Amino acid sequence: DGGRLWVQRADSSSMTLFDVFESDGDYVGSLRTRSRYLLFPSPVVANGKIYGMTMDSLDVTYVTRSALPAGFLRGAATRNR
């Protein structure tokens, strides 16, 4: 979103952890989502939301949309360190 790099980290929980960086390499912060996003297809961040595929305990796949917290919206005054 807005040229930021979203790095999805391996996490053993039922959530997904992203480290977020500005296009110049500055660290924005880490974001833990409520959903465990699949790696393929890769989640997409656009318009203040994360879109991706998730899977339930029966291996049923869903398209999921989650709003970003205010600190991760483009132009937010504070960084999440």
Side-chain angles (χ1 to χ4, degrees):
D1 194 30
R4 288 183 172 164
L5 174 65
W6 291 72
V7 179
Q8 186 172 348
R9 280 204 272 161
D11 189 326
S12 61
S13 72
S14 62
M15 300 179 215
T16 301
L17 181 63
F18 291 98
D19 287 324
V20 184
F21 300 88
E22 293 289 358
S23 58
D24 63 3
D26 284 345
Y27 177 71
V28 174
S30 293
L31 175 68
R32 186 177 305 273
T33 65
R34 293 181 181 163
S35 300
R36 181 131 184 94
Y37 288 99
L38 301 177
L39 291 174
F40 300 103
S42 297
V44 174
V45 179
N47 303 316
K49 296 185 176 46
I50 299 174
Y51 302 86
M53 302 295 291
T54 60
M55 190 178 297
D56 69 12
S57 62
L58 298 175
D59 293 338
V60 176
T61 306
Y62 298 91
V63 175
T64 306
R65 177 185 67 193
S66 302
L68 294 176
F72 285 89
L73 297 176
R74 198 74 177 133
T78 59
R79 302 225 180 220
N80 296 312
R81 294 188 179 186

